[in-house]
Amino acid sequence: MNIVVVGDVLLDADISGSAQRLSPDAPVPVVDVDDVRHRAGGAGLVARMLARDGHAVQLVTVLSDDGAAAVLREALAGIVVTAGPSGAPTPVKTRIRAGSHAVVRFDEGCAPPPPPVATDEMLAVLETADAVVVADYGRGLTGDPRLRRSLAALAGRIPVVWDPHPAGTDPVPGVAAVTPNLSEALRAAGPADDATATGDGTGGGIPAALRAAETLLGRWQSRAVVVTLGALGALVLPASGLPQMIPAPEAAAGDTCGAGDRFTATLALGLEHGTALEPAVEKAVQAAAAFLAAGGVASLLQAPAPRQLRSESLDALRAAEQVRRRGGTVVATGGCFDLLHAGHARTLSAARRLGDCLIVVLNSDSSVRRLKGEQRPIIGQQDRAELLLSLGCVDGVLVFEEDTPEAALERLRPDIWVKGGDYREDQLPEARLVKTWGGETVTVPYHPARSTSRLAAALARVG
């Protein structure tokens, strides 16, 4: 998967220290500086977040050739950057902090620049994308006609998520989602909606957000408008269907810088993985809350947290490798797991006790249909995977498209392959494959009178 981030970059400088006295020549605090750090801002921050998460990411932007741009390139080290000339100084935003409190921010080089021009190289990178995040910070890049035509064409083929800016351009038609925050939505919708903003920052609440989203959905012709509402969560308005309010988990208070970027990046990832809009927004809301709870942009200066085991697809492979590097035992089992029942739960629990992680190798929907007929599966693969991951004994799910699990097992290479005790040796041809890398195949007790077919038949009688 290749994610391309398009948009304006800037350099963020964080100067922090302690303030325990006032200046003798003015009633202002004196900050004794003990730390100065630089980081990429704007679209650069989105790219840095995605790269830190382990995703393949490319950044399409424009850059100056001044000293601040050199520092910015260092902050973007490890990210593939394709940049045209900006024709303007690098914008620098310097935040002064005393302890946990912001004192002041200085902006340099932030005057409106001449309109930048997208190069052929920049447009070529877009054609390699599996998903696109447009991070518009009002510096004019998203107004380039050729870039807009390219983004509009891509919006018909892949997820394009557009994070707008009050000084930026309108999104191109057809993008998967546009993600203004509440103040941006009210301002973009026009005076009638902007007038509902209140001094307490609520902007008139959810009704005002919905009115603004309705206006913007018609104007922007996107497939959805998602208005982020801070501690309230996010309002999702699709082009067809009812609006949905996604509540936010309780998050720690603090500097919200970067929370919107975290939201947009996570939403794009979810849509690229095939997650429906509302569940993808839910994950994005949770990710933004977790970002704030971890300390916001300050958390990006810390070592990345170890990847959690409870994951899907390629993440399951990484989870298994993580256990293997620690010298642990990787256990796997497989099947359709259509209509999860107590027999499944007992088998999975028994399998998990045999090692240090359990990966479920799961038949895809098309695989189940070929094996069991056009009426199956009853539950789709995404829901089946989510149900499995909700069990405390399952650490990862690896979905496979083939009729048999051999190819998936070759990728996973578990130490122990587990099946229910109702299987005979001649029904497990993959056992020979498992032995080729030193693995073993075992069975665990089978619990009769519990089967998906019995449950399906019972449901059919009830229906």
Side-chain angles (χ1 to χ4, degrees), residues 169-246:
T169 56
D170 282 354
V172 299
V175 300
V178 188
T179 61
N181 62 33
L182 180 56
S183 64
E184 290 167 345
L186 295 173
R187 182 172 174 180
D193 292 289
D194 197 27
T196 64
T198 61
D200 61 3
T202 63
I206 295 172
L210 181 55
R211 288 193 297 272
E214 289 170 342
T215 299
L216 296 173
L217 188 65
R219 180 185 306 165
W220 289 339
Q221 299 178 45
S222 57
R223 281 181 269 167
V225 172
V226 181
V227 182
T228 57
L229 300 169
L232 289 178
L235 174 72
V236 183
L237 181 64
S240 59
L242 293 172
Q244 184 170 121
M245 185 64 203
I246 309 294

Side-chain angles (χ1 to χ4, degrees), residues 375-399:
Q375 301 305 312
R376 302 283 291 274
I378 299 168
I379 299 176
Q381 67 190 48
Q382 183 175 328
D383 286 347
R384 286 185 284 131
E386 185 173 336
L387 285 168
L388 286 165
L389 287 167
S390 71
L391 300 176
C393 56
V394 177
D395 298 300
V397 174
L398 178 62
V399 179

